[in-house]
Amino acid sequence: MTIGRVNPAQKLEDQGITGLGTVHYNLIEPALMNAAVTRGEGQIGKGGAFLTTTGVYTGRSPKDKHVVRTPGVEGNIWWENNTAMEPEAFDRLYSDMLEHMKGREYFVQDLYAGADATHRLDVRVVTELAWHGLFIRHLLRRPERAELDSFAPDFTIINCPSFKADPAKHGCRSETVIALNFERKLILIANTEYAGENKKSVFTLLNYILPEKGVMPMHCSANHAVGNPVDTAVFFGLSGTGKTTLSADPSRILIGDDEHGWSDRGTFNFEGGCYAKTINLSAEAEPEIFATTSRFGTVIENMVFDPETLDLDFDDDSLTANMRCAYPLEAISNASDTGLGGFPKNIIMLTCDAFGVLPPIAKLTPAQAMYHFLSGFTSKVAGTERGVTEPQPTFSTCFGAPFMPRRPEVYGKLLQQKIAKHGASCWLVNTGWTGGAYGTGKRMPIKATRALLTAALDGTLDAAQFRKDPNFGFEVPVAVPGVDAKLLDPRSTWTDAAAYDAQAAKLVSMFADNFAQYVPHIDADVKAAAIG
């Protein structure tokens, strides 16, 4: 049986997906919430938010992600970073999943990935859980009613948490699997209720498709000056580095908080919503994001709450430190109506340094920017991936290695070309630790980070006095109004300067060891900028 607000011209049966029970097409938020509650997937919270948990999987499962090794993509995939699945194994997985799905209820959302229609991907998402339909409806871009009548998907995602893969039969690592088949234009997700797998699968697709069109896909947030889209800034960074928080500046227009493209027309958001962490979220520090947690339709994921009052506990991480809320962009008052911006004027690379070595901000030459982009140094923070319970220093190239199907140099060269063409200023911003490493020091004050970013974006920092960092060779401001000068010199924040020097030497060595893998593939100026 077919139910829906809009029954598209191309249904699942037309794609060879037959034998299902009731299929709901393109239900809107109230209907999805009603279905989710009726089916016992969660409950309504304060203000009409939807409260749910994701069971065992409270973060992504990157080790269970596979790319199908088909002839058309085999020579383009970065196989050292992407686990292969053979086509025959994928076919068995798909067949067994479809058999498992027969007679069951499913929810279909037909959505756009990309605010720029020139580079947009039309994505159909088939979910077993009604709230997954609500989640992806927030996170991707919603077509107009009339556009759905002729919708034909470029790619289809099928998410079936109740299906368990068989590693021996399906060529995967465990019962959990995320399998991308570029040739068949299918993504299969099984045995995980974590909704983030849906959105990151779309991001991975775009990371493969767009470079061939000369478009730079970026794991970044973005905003622009009020009334001036030409003054656009992008914020690269992994989860937990502050992309969502720092881009949601009330004095600027938010383009998006996580995924964007840089084309020959400017910057464009891939998504239509935000997926914000809520651990320690407060109305004082982040009033607009906090307000979404009691907004109708917001998905509240893995948060502890009072069973009687339904008050959320923003400090209780007993379920996971990766507690989140998902909401549409229009929930933020200063969000862009179009999801479009100009060419980036400022590029900010966010890092969460658990060693406590890096300064809160540094100015990078284009070559240094490429070095730090390819290095992608940060710390995985608790909860983002399964098994991560405290910050772990890591190098995630392009600030998004788990989502990069092509070799890093492909993205690096694209970014290098665009910086050279458009003349963006580049900054490295540390939102991690100061005064010592994790366990001894403390997190960088958000107030100081905001003040430094404001100075960078409005041009104030260009007039500051800079010193050359002895460890990495980039330029660090000596003094910035409103920021404790001591904070700008990480060594001075440590009680033991010798301990800082040892920690810095260790980090420099880690950078050099990691970067060795890129040396054969990069230009001489980037090699020269590597250290000092």
Side-chain angles (χ1 to χ4, degrees):
M1 181 171 61
T2 296
I3 299 175
R5 182 175 70 101
V6 179
N7 293 320
Q10 186 176 120
K11 297 184 179 180
L12 292 181
E13 290 89 341
D14 301 316
Q15 298 177 256
I17 302 172
T18 60
L20 305 188
T22 301
V23 178
H24 306 267
Y25 287 93
N26 298 307
L27 299 184
I28 60 175
E29 291 78 359
L32 288 167
M33 292 178 68
N34 183 61
V37 171
T38 301
R39 289 159 50 90
E41 297 173 7
Q43 69 183 86
I44 303 299
K46 280 193 168 181
F50 180 73
L51 311 178
T52 190
T53 57
T54 61
V56 175
Y57 296 87
T58 58
R60 290 180 292 102
S61 300
K63 293 181 180 178
D64 292 310
K65 188 174 181 179
H66 301 260
V67 174
V68 180
R69 193 195 296 271
T70 54
V73 304
E74 185 167 8
N76 301 322
I77 300 295
W78 180 22
W79 291 115
E80 295 87 346
N81 184 62
N82 293 270
T83 304
M85 175 181 284
E86 296 309 313
E88 297 78 13
F90 179 88
D91 292 345
R92 291 191 293 271
L93 175 65
Y94 186 39
S95 176
D96 289 349
M97 185 178 286
L98 291 185
E99 184 64 31
H100 174 85
M101 293 168 64
K102 285 184 176 178
R104 298 171 184 255
E105 185 177 28
Y106 280 86
F107 300 83
V108 175
Q109 287 289 317
D110 292 327
L111 301 161
Y112 295 151
D116 185 340
T118 305
H119 304 297
R120 182 182 83 200
L121 194 69
D122 296 356
V123 181
R124 168 165 286 174
V125 186
V126 183
T127 62
E128 182 178 30
L129 297 173
W131 79 264
H132 274 197
L134 177 64
F135 171 90
I136 203 63
R137 184 172 172 80
H138 289 335
L139 266 296
L140 293 184
R141 304 188 68 84
R142 297 162 291 284
E144 296 295 332
R145 166 66 176 80
E147 294 175 308
L148 288 169
D149 291 331
S150 58
F151 187 95
D154 296 316
F155 272 82
T156 298
I157 299 171
I158 301 176
N159 190 322
C160 189
S162 67
F163 179 80
K164 297 182 184 296
D166 180 343
K169 184 178 183 181
H170 301 135
C172 49
R173 189 185 72 97
S174 73
E175 293 180 335
T176 300
V177 65
I178 303 98
L180 290 77
N181 192 320
F182 291 103
E183 184 176 275
R184 297 192 64 174
K185 298 185 176 183
L186 277 171
I187 299 176
L188 307 180
I189 303 173
N191 196 46
T192 172
E193 294 184 21
Y194 183 65
E197 299 288 9
N198 295 296
K199 86 180 215 87
K200 288 306 185 187
S201 292
V202 176
F203 186 40
T204 304
L205 284 179
L206 292 168
N207 280 331
Y208 182 80
I209 293 167
L210 292 180
E212 290 186 344
K213 303 170 72 175
V215 177
M216 174 67 190
M218 303 179 290
H219 190 208
C220 72
S221 56
N223 62 28
H224 67 72
V226 175
N228 185 13
V230 173
D231 184 4
T232 293
V234 298
F235 302 74
F236 285 100
L238 290 173
S239 296
T241 56
K243 291 196 311 301
T244 298
T245 297
L246 295 173
S247 59
D249 183 338
S251 67
R252 293 174 66 86
I253 300 299
L254 177 67
I255 302 172
D257 83 324
D258 196 36
E259 301 167 6
H260 294 80
W262 183 351
S263 73
D264 57 4
R265 294 153 55 95
T267 306
F268 64 98
N269 192 358
F270 291 166
E271 301 185 302
C274 300
Y275 191 31
K277 282 199 166 192
T278 56
I279 182 71
N280 304 135
L281 184 66
S282 71
E284 295 72 30
E286 304 295 338
E288 293 223 61
I289 298 176
F290 186 88
T292 68
T293 62
S294 58
R295 177 188 184 278
F296 178 81
T298 292
V299 174
I300 304 293
E301 194 178 73
N302 294 319
M303 287 193 71
V304 174
F305 58 90
D306 187 291
E308 294 183 3
T309 67
L310 301 179
D311 287 334
L312 299 171
D313 190 332
F314 294 87
D315 302 314
D316 188 338
D317 63 356
S318 57
L319 291 178
T320 176
N322 194 36
M323 58 179 76
R324 290 180 180 261
C325 61
Y327 50 89
L329 267 170
E330 58 260 30
I332 303 299
S333 62
N334 63 323
S336 167
D337 292 332
T338 64
L340 303 173
F343 302 114
K345 181 179 177 182
N346 285 280
I347 295 173
I348 294 97
M349 298 182 185
L350 300 169
T351 180
C352 175
D353 173 21
F355 284 93
V357 168
L358 296 175
I361 195 166
K363 190 169 187 177
L364 307 176
T365 66
Q368 288 170 339
M370 290 311 308
Y371 175 74
H372 285 279
F373 180 71
L374 288 174
S375 296
F377 170 70
T378 192
S379 301
K380 292 179 183 177
V381 296
T384 302
E385 291 182 10
R386 294 174 57 215
V388 178
T389 58
E390 62 182 43
Q392 296 179 0
T394 187
F395 290 89
S396 185
T397 188
C398 309
F399 295 99
F403 324 117
M404 302 298 170
R406 296 178 182 270
R407 278 204 59 86
E409 297 84 10
V410 172
Y411 308 104
K413 288 177 180 177
L414 257 178
L415 184 62
Q416 187 176 29
Q417 291 165 4
K418 292 185 179 297
I419 290 174
K421 182 176 181 179
H422 300 287
S425 296
C426 302
W427 309 88
L428 182 70
V429 173
N430 174 26
T431 62
W433 274 256
T434 183
Y438 171 79
T440 302
K442 59 183 180 180
R443 281 300 290 263
M444 198 71 68
I446 184 67
K447 185 177 179 181
T449 302
R450 286 195 181 279
L452 290 167
L453 279 174
T454 297
L457 298 183
D458 68 14
T460 303
L461 211 51
D462 291 335
Q465 179 185 351
F466 287 81
R467 65 175 177 84
K468 185 176 181 179
D469 182 85
N471 299 303
F472 289 92
F474 42 50
E475 298 291 315
V476 181
V478 174
V480 178
V483 178
D484 183 354
K486 186 178 180 181
L487 195 67
L488 295 169
D489 180 6
R491 191 173 187 267
S492 70
T493 66
W494 286 51
T495 56
D496 185 342
Y500 172 85
D501 292 339
Q503 190 81 304
K506 179 180 178 181
L507 184 58
V508 167
S509 178
M510 288 176 63
F511 263 86
D513 290 345
N514 172 75
F515 201 74
Q517 63 184 301
Y518 306 120
V519 170
H521 308 282
I522 59 173
D523 297 336
D525 61 337
V526 181
K527 294 177 186 177
I531 297 293

